């Protein structure tokens, strides 16, 4: 699976889906640029999401809020004080990682049985020698270690385990002198090396902080630190933060807060009534501790978010509705539907205010990973901003009842019997566009083995997602074909279908294969018969079948094939 994923990433770079950002300057870790095909694929996924959640509905509107977010907004939402991950450093590798995502300790297996030796994997023999010396002199002085090529084996007498977040355990090691030596064990190890030699956990704020100020605030910081009479670093830090606070802003860590603070504006300008939703597509930023799997986890990412506002008594029913509807969208565009699943969060996984949460997950080459979350956030967000600003987000329901938009009202309960005021409950659907793109690329990536030939790649993207919808190909370079090529390409482009003219001096079969590799669902060939009877050949990417059709029918046939299975209405 890892080899297949590397082949996919090679294809992405070679054919213009994905590039390392600033590669000619050495690159920027975790940052990627989307090439001509990547930007089309991302746009197509985003547009499908928008059509499904906004254009197909009467009760959802869109918004686009500022990326630069004031301190007060994120203070009210809890992000300034609580948007943190635990951070741990490995004393051997210097790698940082999240302990809640780290594996438990691994022992060397001998014929399927644990040997009682912890295996630490180094990248090469020289590093193994350096680590052996560091362990025996600094981290576990005198520890008995067996070095086998790139691996170090720590001899263990006893392991007192610990679960993440619980009391610390310990590892009792054997020493060269025969005595015992105890080192801490917190229930996890550095993921890539299995090293248990770690720092204590410490909080790590995930937000990017910057300053909106015409005057460089660093001068004020310098003056404050010089004038401060104390050597207490905590006091100095508080004074510096107070000086900087008026100009402190953040790159938003999520798009949702921009929606919540505009709730009353939307209600007033769009004359909306509950239940209704506000959709947004936009960039968010998180100073991630561990970046992994290309674009799966990056500091800059794009979100497709919907905040759906409803009454408290209808919220269980709408939560159930959105769980089903969002999974249906993922499955609608998938080749291998079994590679998508839903997973309900355990109580200890959810935020303290959440009433329920479900993830849509995709089985990536490295395992299951979240691509979307659907959560019942209660009225927490609106209440927080009400308390911080004095703005009133309460809604008056004169005649409380179940919404006519709900097909199944069995989950609607505790409907008030008289007019009532309440702060709306929020059902949130939050999808990572970058992860969606990666999931659908993995889902579409097929390597076809034909007898006597090298394997070739077919990217079986759903036609609505395919970056290039049609390739128009003149059989030869004859100028006689040019008017027909231009006519077909122009008619497709006027329908908003990204179409390319493929006139390279290659055999027509090789040109077909080039477009199979980037996921082009249809190829239109102009040949000598076209000159005689105004027909062309249309080739299907997935079946490789070819049919003759009238040149004037190309656009309608292609359109029908692309949009045929799109959900005609929302149930």
């Amino acid at each position: 699976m890892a080899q297949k994923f590397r082949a996919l990433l090679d294809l992405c770079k070679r054919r213009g889906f994905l590039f390392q950002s600033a590669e000619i300057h050495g690159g920027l870790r975790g940052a990627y640029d989307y090439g001509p095909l990547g930007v089309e694929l991302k746009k197509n996924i985003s547009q499908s999401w928008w059509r499904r959640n906004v254009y197909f509905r009467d009760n959802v509107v869109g918004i686009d809020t500022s990326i630069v977010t004031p301190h007060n907004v994120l203070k009210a939402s809890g992000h300034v004080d609580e948007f943190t991950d635990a951070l741990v450093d490995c004393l051997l590798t210097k790698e940082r990682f999240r302990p809640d995502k780290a594996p438990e300790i691994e022992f060397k297996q001998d014929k399927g049985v644990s040997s009682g030796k912890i295996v630490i994997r180094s990248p090469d023999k020289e590093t193994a020698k350096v680590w052996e010396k560091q362990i025996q002199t600094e981290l576990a002085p005198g520890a008995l270690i067996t070095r086998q090529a790139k691996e170090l084996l720590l001899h263990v007498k006893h392991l007192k385990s610990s679960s993440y977040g619980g009391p610390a355990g310990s590892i009792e090691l054997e020493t060269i002198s025969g005595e015992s030596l105890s080192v801490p064990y917190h229930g996890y190890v550095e993921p890539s090396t299995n090293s248990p030699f770690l720092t204590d956990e410490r909080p790590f704020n995930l937000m990017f902080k910057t300053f909106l100020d015409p005057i460089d605030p660093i001068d004020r910081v310098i003056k404050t630190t010089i004038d401060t009479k104390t050597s207490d670093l905590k006091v100095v830090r508080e004074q510096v933060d107070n000086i900087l606070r008026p100009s402190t802003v953040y790159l938003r860590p999520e798009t949702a807060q921009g929606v919540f603070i505009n709730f009353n504006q939307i209600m007033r300008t769009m004359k909306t009534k509950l239940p209704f939703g506000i959709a947004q597509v936009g960039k968010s930023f998180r100073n991630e501790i561990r970046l992994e799997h290309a674009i799966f986890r990056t500091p800059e990412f794009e979100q497709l978010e919907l905040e759906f506002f409803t009454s408290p008594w209808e919220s269980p029913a709408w939560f159930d509705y959105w769980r089903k509807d969002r999974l249906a969208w993922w499955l609608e565009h998938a080749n291998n539907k079994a590679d998508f699943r839903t997973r309900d969060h355990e109580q200890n996984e959810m935020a303290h205010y959440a009433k329920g949460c479900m993830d849509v997950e995709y089985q990536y080459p490295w395992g299951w990973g979240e691509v979307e979350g659907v959560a019942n956030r209660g009225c927490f967000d609106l209440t927080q901003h009400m308390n911080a600003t004095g703005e009133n987000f309460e809604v008056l329901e004169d005649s409380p009842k179940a919404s006519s938009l709900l097909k199944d009202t069995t989950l609607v309960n505790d409907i008030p019997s008289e007019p009532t005021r309440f702060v709306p409950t929020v059902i949130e659907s939050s999808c990572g566009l970058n992860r969606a793109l990666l999931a659908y690329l993995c889902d579409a990536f097929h390597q076809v083995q034909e007898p006597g030939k090298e394997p070739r790649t077919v990217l079986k993207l759903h036609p609505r997602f395919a970056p290039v919808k049609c390739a128009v190909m003149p059989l030869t370079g004859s100028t006689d074909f040019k008017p027909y090529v231009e006519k077909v390409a122009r008619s497709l482009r006027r329908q908003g279908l990204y179409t390319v003219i493929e006139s390279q001096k290659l055999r027509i079969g090789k040109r077909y294969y080039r477009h199979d590799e980037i996921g082009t669902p249809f190829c239109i060939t102009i040949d000598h018969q076209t000159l005689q009877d105004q027909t062309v050949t249309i080739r299907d990417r997935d079946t490789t079948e070819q049919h003759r059709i009238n040149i004037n029918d190309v656009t309608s046939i292609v359109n029908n094939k692309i949009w045929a299975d799109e959900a005609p209405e929302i149930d």
Side-chain angles (χ1 to χ4, degrees):
M1 293 297 282
Q3 185 177 357
K4 186 176 179 181
F5 186 59
R6 285 194 296 270
L8 172 60
L9 294 182
D10 175 68
L11 170 68
C12 287
K13 181 177 180 180
R14 180 166 46 83
R15 295 305 306 271
F17 284 91
L18 201 63
F19 306 132
Q20 177 73 44
S21 186
E23 185 173 24
I24 64 173
H25 288 279
L28 178 62
R29 182 171 172 264
Y32 291 88
D33 298 332
Y34 291 82
L37 298 183
V39 75
E40 289 294 326
L41 175 55
K42 189 162 71 161
K43 176 177 63 68
N44 291 341
I45 296 173
S46 176
Q47 287 181 341
S48 172
W49 183 92
W50 194 266
R51 283 168 60 85
R52 175 85 177 207
N53 291 306
V54 181
Y55 293 164
F56 280 18
R57 304 176 189 275
D58 294 327
N59 62 339
V60 177
V61 297
I63 197 172
D64 184 10
T65 64
S66 174
I67 287 174
V68 177
T69 308
H71 176 274
N72 291 347
V73 171
L74 295 172
K75 179 70 173 177
S77 67
H79 285 82
V80 170
D81 298 324
E82 300 176 15
F83 196 60
T84 59
D85 276 341
L87 171 68
V88 173
D89 288 338
C90 176
L91 296 172
L92 282 179
T93 67
K94 312 306 179 188
E95 285 288 324
R96 289 179 176 173
F97 62 94
R98 286 173 53 179
D100 62 324
K101 301 294 184 180
E104 294 182 3
I105 205 162
E106 177 186 335
F107 287 87
K108 184 75 172 179
Q109 298 292 308
D110 184 9
K111 296 181 181 180
V113 179
S114 173
S115 66
K117 300 179 180 68
I118 298 170
V119 55
I120 298 179
R121 295 176 289 270
S122 69
D124 51 59
K125 292 182 181 179
E126 291 304 313
T127 304
K129 292 178 182 179
V130 173
W131 286 0
E132 180 182 19
K133 182 178 179 181
Q134 185 181 357
I135 293 170
Q136 290 186 324
T137 59
E138 301 174 22
L139 305 178
L144 181 60
I145 300 174
T146 301
R147 177 160 43 87
Q148 295 181 349
K150 298 188 296 182
E151 292 185 347
L152 300 178
L153 302 180
L154 274 67
H155 295 244
V156 178
K157 282 189 174 181
H158 179 67
L159 173 69
K160 179 183 177 184
S161 187
S162 166
S163 59
Y164 171 64
S170 62
I171 305 170
E172 190 176 343
L173 299 173
E174 295 183 29
T175 64
I176 297 172
S177 64
E179 299 177 355
S180 296
L181 174 68
S182 183
V183 295
Y185 176 57
H186 294 280
Y188 52 85
V189 291
E190 198 277 317
S192 60
T193 63
N194 197 46
S195 167
F197 300 109
L198 311 172
T199 65
D200 292 334
E201 298 170 19
R202 57 193 185 278
F204 177 73
N205 196 285
L206 297 176
M207 292 193 296
F208 285 103
K209 180 189 295 185
T210 187
F211 305 99
L212 194 61
D213 197 324
I215 301 173
D216 188 350
I218 297 301
D219 291 339
R220 299 201 300 274
V221 172
I222 294 172
K223 186 176 186 305
T224 300
T225 54
I226 291 174
D227 293 346
T228 300
K229 306 300 184 183
T230 179
S231 59
D232 188 328
L233 293 180
K234 184 176 181 181
V235 172
V236 174
R237 179 58 190 260
E238 289 177 355
Q239 291 177 345
V240 169
D241 285 344
N242 288 334
I243 289 294
L244 292 176
R245 185 152 295 127
S247 58
T248 297
V249 293
Y250 298 88
L251 301 184
R252 66 185 180 196
E254 63 180 23
T255 62
Q257 298 308 317
V259 172
F260 298 137
I261 61 177
N262 279 287
F263 175 78
N264 274 352
Q265 304 271 46
I266 299 297
M267 287 279 288
R268 188 187 75 252
T269 58
M270 302 305 294
K271 310 300 183 186
T272 55
K273 294 184 178 180
L274 297 185
F276 77 95
I278 303 175
Q280 181 167 203
V281 175
K283 291 284 185 74
S284 295
F285 304 83
R286 295 181 186 178
N287 194 12
E288 292 284 2
I289 297 168
R290 191 175 184 89
L291 308 173
E292 55 187 354
H293 307 308
I295 58 174
F296 180 79
R297 189 185 304 281
T298 57
E300 175 185 341
F301 57 98
E302 206 154 348
Q303 288 184 285
L304 310 172
E305 282 203 328
L306 174 66
E307 309 300 331
F308 195 80
F309 301 92
T310 178
S311 64
W313 55 88
E314 284 187 347
S315 62
W318 281 114
F319 179 52
D320 182 66
Y321 169 87
W322 284 109
R323 287 161 50 102
K324 295 174 181 176
D325 187 81
R326 293 306 306 139
L327 177 63
W329 179 83
W330 287 96
L331 298 180
E332 181 182 319
H333 302 94
N335 289 294
N336 305 301
K337 292 177 171 41
D339 286 340
F340 290 87
R341 73 178 186 186
T342 60
R343 184 183 70 84
D344 290 324
H345 282 209
E346 299 292 338
Q347 191 62 42
N348 62 0
E349 292 182 89
M350 295 191 292
H352 64 89
Y353 52 81
K355 309 297 184 184
C357 190
M358 175 212 78
D359 285 345
V360 179
E361 296 182 330
Y362 174 71
Q363 191 167 28
Y364 290 98
W366 57 88
W368 291 100
E370 177 194 352
V371 290
E372 178 167 358
V374 179
N376 182 341
R377 297 176 67 117
C379 62
F380 174 81
D381 300 282
L382 293 180
T383 301
Q384 289 293 101
H385 291 295
M386 283 176 58
N387 293 339
T389 64
E391 187 79 5
N392 185 9
F393 290 146
E394 288 186 337
V395 172
L396 172 63
E397 195 69 57
D398 290 323
S399 302
K401 58 186 177 181
S403 170
S404 61
L405 298 175
L406 283 172
K407 305 297 182 183
D408 181 5
T409 59
T410 58
L411 294 175
V412 179
N413 48 53
D414 298 326
I415 302 176
S417 57
E418 56 188 32
T420 184
R421 285 188 176 274
F422 57 89
V423 178
T425 294
V426 177
I427 310 298
E428 178 183 77
S429 157
S430 181
C431 166
L433 179 53
N434 310 64
R435 292 188 180 187
L437 183 146
L438 187 60
Y440 280 122
L441 279 174
C442 291
D443 175 69
F445 188 75
H446 289 72
Q447 291 180 307
V448 178
Q449 181 67 64
E450 297 175 340
K453 297 181 181 180
E454 289 291 319
R456 67 182 184 88
T457 298
V458 180
L459 204 58
K460 295 185 178 182
L461 290 165
H462 193 286
R464 287 196 289 276
F465 287 173
V468 177
K469 298 294 188 289
C470 279
V472 183
M473 304 179 179
L475 186 64
T476 70
S478 171
T479 56
D480 293 341
F481 297 143
K482 186 175 180 181
Y484 298 96
V485 169
E486 291 179 347
K487 176 181 179 180
V488 172
R490 184 169 57 249
S491 66
L492 290 165
R493 287 167 177 166
R494 286 179 175 175
Q495 292 295 311
L497 304 176
Y498 184 24
T499 302
V500 300
I501 296 174
E502 183 66 69
S503 56
Q504 289 192 0
K505 294 181 180 179
L506 296 172
R507 289 188 299 105
I508 196 70
K510 285 192 174 181
R511 283 187 272 170
Y512 286 158
Y513 288 176
R514 275 178 50 79
H515 278 274
D516 288 348
E517 191 176 51
I518 64 170
T520 305
F522 308 109
C523 291
I524 312 296
T525 303
I526 312 297
D527 55 23
H528 295 289
Q529 188 175 339
T530 307
L531 305 180
Q532 300 171 10
D533 62 8
Q534 305 287 296
T535 63
V536 298
T537 298
I538 182 170
R539 176 187 180 271
D540 184 280
R541 175 199 66 204
D542 297 336
T543 65
T544 70
E545 292 179 355
Q546 301 182 35
H547 300 283
R548 299 296 298 191
I549 60 174
N550 189 282
I551 195 170
N552 295 318
D553 295 334
V554 170
T555 301
S556 60
I557 288 173
V558 170
N559 257 325
N560 288 338
K561 288 178 177 292
I562 290 173
W563 301 106
D565 64 342
E566 186 179 37
E569 61 182 32
I570 300 300
D571 295 326

